[in-house]
Amino acid sequence: MSTIVTRRAILEGGLAALGLFALPMSARAQAPAFTHGVASGDPKQSRVTLWTRFLPADGGLARVRVEVALDPTFRRMVARHWGVAGPDGDHTVKVVATGLEPGRWYHYRFVGPDGSVSPVGRTRTLPTRGTDPFRIAVLSCANMDFGYFNAYRHLAQRDDIDLVLHLGDYIYEWGNGKHSLAALALKERVMRPAQETVTLDDYRTRYAWYRADPDLAEMHRRFPVISIVDDHEITNNAWVNGAGNHQPNEGPYPVRKAAAMRAYHEWLPMPATPYDRYDIGGLAAIFRLETRLVGRDEPLDLGDALKGAADPFKAMAAFRDGPLQDPKRTMMGAAQERWLADGLRSSVRAGQRWQIAAQQVVMGPTRLPETATGWSSQTPAAGSRAALRQMAAVAASRAGLPLGFDNWNGYPAARARLLGAAQVAGANLVVLSGDSHNAWAYDLAHDGKPAGVEFAGQSVASFGFEARFDADPKRIAADMVAANPALRWCDTSRRGYMTTTLTRDEARNDWLFLDTVTTRSTALSGTSTVAVGHGERRLQLA
């Protein structure tokens, strides 16, 4: 069996379309040595991490050189570094390029021992002096089998982006046909491996499949990316010691989590440090937070509180005023909370204009409107599970309970500590969030006083409310805003990405909505903009 793969096929169609990873090693050896392009990430003022994957003909170890230059022709070379690709790291190579100048664009490429050359990548270091403006693209939630990665392609075609933040759910763990909405999946966007990812081999194969997507590959080639782990990089609704989608027959959860994180760090140019700070000169500090695997307590389950309850409404009230308010419950852990509070204070003292919390899940207080019972044209049959779920959701909302407990709404005391720390520091806090698949803009308050704002991004390809409710999306958005005082704007039906543009006087967020994800297209269906002025800590609606 043999396969001949041209460079053009790799660049235009991606290795996924060629089925390369289904082949035995003997056939793979005939494929190009650089199998998954290049990527850069974790930029600082004088360094950046560079990544590739090199598969030699014998499948063994290979010493690979990386070259860094000021120009794409490499006439003005500034650095050379070396790394080793081998089976222990799934043949991936991560090299930290050091000694770079701050605030500069660089070009880089890898050279194999056989003289083969990777595609040329482009990356940038962070500035030591505030760049005004500084534009950040923000992405999350790319469930491949629900759509094409048109957001990545649209972003890759831009020249006005300084940095990319990926807030998690970079991959999804589900097996083919196993999602509750699998009927909506695109038949041509099947996953590999076909089963749910549990073992190290599973996760490695899933990353290889994702990274072969040409739109994702081009985005990585063009920009430095700061990536954050959410739950689907491991499995749905993950926390420190477990996950909602981990079953006993899948083995010990710590083993699965370790396998998932090993593959993540092999395939993405990020360090093992779970949280970090990135300074944009005097303009901003970006705090990359970890809210899943370091300090998160197990999410609460309202169903457990209602089991055997003679009066469900009294049980809901007790749950709302008791376990939900427990001050010991945490999203980040005490050490990370202290680190963030100290970082907010030091950033403000240093004169940085904005303090950006880049993290996974929605922070703004959110309840489901009672009007949600009218969002579906199909009324569930009386007594059916769907009808009971709908009744329970509305009853929970009436009892003052939030829409879900897997985000900051399920940890209100931890949220209060974070927002209180921002107030004490005098921070101009901007929270960037992913995870929900929908677009949201919130005013964040603590003890009745403004504490900051939140820009929450829609998904790259994962479904939103539109997959569960068929009412007019404008009606759904109006109902959500009316029911939630902190929520200033939302869109629950379109896919895409955000850009956050920072100047000394304003932080502006633009949501860009792709026309479709069911076919390849970079056409936009619209945009929305919200901004906050420095010192205001409340949103200005366009």
Side-chain angles (χ1 to χ4, degrees):
M1 181 180 183
S2 66
T3 296
I4 299 174
V5 184
T6 67
R7 177 180 173 83
R8 179 178 296 276
I10 296 170
L11 294 176
E12 294 182 355
L15 297 182
L18 300 167
L20 181 61
F21 298 101
L23 301 181
M25 182 62 73
S26 60
R28 293 190 201 180
Q30 299 179 41
F34 289 101
T35 64
H36 286 79
V38 296
S40 68
D42 196 41
K44 294 297 181 78
Q45 276 79 13
S46 62
R47 62 175 172 82
V48 65
T49 300
L50 306 177
W51 180 99
T52 193
R53 185 171 188 262
F54 182 84
L55 186 61
D58 63 2
L61 296 175
R63 193 164 184 254
V64 177
R65 182 173 78 249
V66 60
E67 300 174 341
V68 183
L70 295 174
D71 65 304
T73 63
F74 290 82
R75 290 192 178 93
R76 293 187 290 163
M77 196 93 69
V78 297
R80 288 184 178 87
H81 300 275
W82 283 263
V84 175
D88 191 56
D90 205 14
H91 298 281
T92 61
V93 182
K94 289 168 66 171
V95 175
V96 179
T98 57
L100 305 178
E101 296 181 19
R104 293 207 67 157
W105 285 100
Y106 289 92
H107 300 268
Y108 64 96
R109 65 187 178 191
F110 290 83
V111 181
D114 58 352
S116 59
V117 181
S118 74
V120 174
R122 190 183 76 138
T123 192
R124 187 186 180 185
T125 52
L126 299 182
T128 53
R129 297 177 182 175
T131 303
D132 191 346
F134 190 88
R135 185 167 290 113
I136 307 165
V138 186
L139 302 143
S140 63
C141 304
N143 198 343
M144 179 183 279
D145 52 357
F146 283 94
Y148 288 95
F149 293 161
N150 295 334
Y152 292 146
R153 175 61 62 175
H154 188 278
L155 172 58
Q157 293 172 349
R158 297 179 62 162
D159 289 317
D160 61 343
I161 300 298
D162 298 296
L163 176 66
V164 174
L165 291 176
H166 199 296
L167 302 181
D169 293 347
Y170 184 95
I171 65 165
Y172 278 70
E173 83 281 12
W174 310 110
N176 291 326
K178 299 302 182 183
H179 195 280
S180 61
L181 292 172
L184 301 178
L186 302 182
K187 292 181 174 57
E188 65 273 24
R189 297 283 282 178
V190 296
M191 296 283 198
R192 291 193 186 177
Q195 73 275 12
E196 184 171 319
T197 53
V198 176
T199 68
L200 178 59
D201 270 354
D202 292 341
Y203 285 107
R204 283 174 165 176
T205 301
R206 187 62 56 87
Y207 276 104
W209 194 243
Y210 263 72
R211 290 297 300 272
D213 181 273
D215 302 322
L216 177 56
E218 183 64 1
M219 186 273 289
H220 272 300
R221 189 187 72 82
R222 293 267 296 152
F223 300 109
V225 181
I226 296 173
S227 299
I228 298 176
V229 174
D230 198 11
D231 54 343
H232 288 288
E233 284 84 353
I234 303 94
T235 190
N236 192 40
N237 291 355
W239 53 286
V240 172
N241 296 317
N245 191 40
H246 182 75
Q247 314 307 324
N249 64 357
E250 293 172 325
Y253 177 72
V255 174
R256 181 179 190 175
K257 184 168 79 168
M261 293 309 299
R262 177 173 174 178
Y264 177 89
H265 287 296
E266 288 172 348
W267 280 87
L268 287 168
M270 291 297 295
T273 48
Y275 48 90
D276 202 356
R277 171 175 170 172
Y278 302 83
D279 290 311
I280 314 299
L283 188 62
I286 300 173
F287 298 92
R288 169 171 63 87
L289 304 184
E290 207 299 310
T291 69
R292 279 288 176 192
L293 304 179
V294 170
R296 179 189 282 243
D297 290 315
E298 182 175 7
L300 295 173
D301 187 336
L302 179 59
D304 290 342
L306 296 178
K307 284 179 182 175
D311 187 334
F313 293 99
K314 285 186 178 179
M316 286 184 190
F319 175 84
R320 177 196 65 211
D321 299 333
L324 187 59
Q325 303 300 327
D326 186 349
K328 297 189 295 294
R329 286 176 52 74
T330 176
M331 287 276 279
M332 302 193 302
Q336 188 178 180
E337 286 186 9
R338 288 192 299 270
W339 169 83
L340 178 59
D342 291 343
L344 293 171
R345 286 195 297 270
S346 68
S347 174
V348 172
R349 284 198 300 266
Q352 290 176 313
R353 303 287 284 180
W354 302 99
Q355 289 70 44
I356 312 296
Q359 52 90 52
Q360 296 89 333
V361 295
V362 169
M363 186 174 290
T366 312
R367 291 167 53 190
L368 187 71
E370 294 183 25
T371 53
T373 55
W375 287 354
S376 294
S377 59
Q378 307 265 331
T379 302
S384 68
R385 292 182 64 184
L388 293 173
R389 281 198 302 268
Q390 189 178 84
M391 290 172 57
V394 171
S397 179
R398 288 173 179 165
L401 292 171
L403 175 61
F405 302 98
D406 186 58
N407 57 32
W408 288 91
N409 284 279
Y411 303 78
R415 176 175 59 196
R417 289 192 295 271
L418 189 155
L419 296 178
Q423 289 176 330
V424 168
N428 279 270
L429 178 67
V430 176
V431 176
L432 302 177
S433 311
D435 182 68
S436 78
H437 306 178
N438 301 296
W440 316 90
Y442 292 90
D443 285 327
L444 300 175
H446 175 61
D447 285 343
K449 299 177 182 178
V453 302
E454 178 177 14
F455 304 135
Q458 73 275 39
S459 65
V460 169
S462 306
F463 59 84
F465 275 23
E466 80 282 359
R468 301 187 185 276
F469 306 109
D470 59 7
D472 182 349
K474 293 181 180 178
R475 174 193 168 185
I476 293 175
D479 288 354
M480 288 296 297
V481 171
N484 294 282
L487 178 62
R488 303 293 305 281
W489 170 89
C490 69
D491 183 289
T492 63
S493 66
R494 293 182 288 178
R495 310 301 109 226
Y497 67 103
M498 308 190 301
T499 59
T500 304
T501 304
L502 304 175
T503 68
R504 286 185 54 80
D505 298 325
E506 183 184 70
R508 189 186 80 235
N509 203 75
D510 296 290
W511 288 266
L512 295 94
F513 299 107
L514 275 300
D515 186 59
T516 183
V517 295
T518 59
T519 59
R520 291 192 186 277
S521 170
T522 56
L524 295 179
S525 65
T527 61
S528 291
T529 300
V530 172
V532 59
H534 185 265
E536 294 179 0
R537 301 177 181 87
R538 288 183 61 83
L539 293 172
Q540 308 161 354
L541 299 185

